[in-house]
Amino acid sequence: IQAMVAAPGFVPRLVGILSRLPAPTSRLDEFVCLAPCLRVLGNIVTGTDVQTQTVLNAGGVSAVAKLLRAPNLLVTVLK
């Protein structure tokens, strides 16, 4: 986990992917990276306090909240 957190721009990039939700009418391939990004960020926040803070500083909470407000999108992504 630390190697990913230490990689320049890695965590902000994952958060950015989650923040740019495809339109509900988008092709399925535009959704396929959302669940893995969410899973990786979840693994990072279960690490040390510093690793968790890195995700928080990158806007991870806002990105996840945006996903949660798109229930139809979540059904599509998690099928």
Side-chain angles (χ1 to χ4, degrees):
I1 291 176
Q2 184 55 40
M4 291 185 292
V5 172
F10 182 76
V11 171
R13 175 74 175 133
L14 289 178
V15 171
I17 290 169
L18 290 183
S19 297
R20 290 185 302 277
L21 296 177
T25 56
S26 297
R27 298 183 330 259
L28 184 60
D29 62 340
E30 294 180 34
F31 294 98
V32 296
C33 65
L34 294 178
C37 286
L38 186 58
R39 189 173 300 117
V40 170
L41 288 171
N43 288 338
I44 293 171
V45 300
T46 63
T48 67
D49 290 346
V50 172
Q51 293 165 343
T52 300
Q53 192 62 51
T54 301
V55 174
L56 296 175
N57 291 347
V61 173
S62 297
V64 172
K66 189 173 181 181
L67 274 176
L68 292 173
R69 286 190 299 267
N72 293 337
L73 178 65
L74 278 178
V75 170
T76 302
V77 171
L78 299 177
K79 278 187 178 178

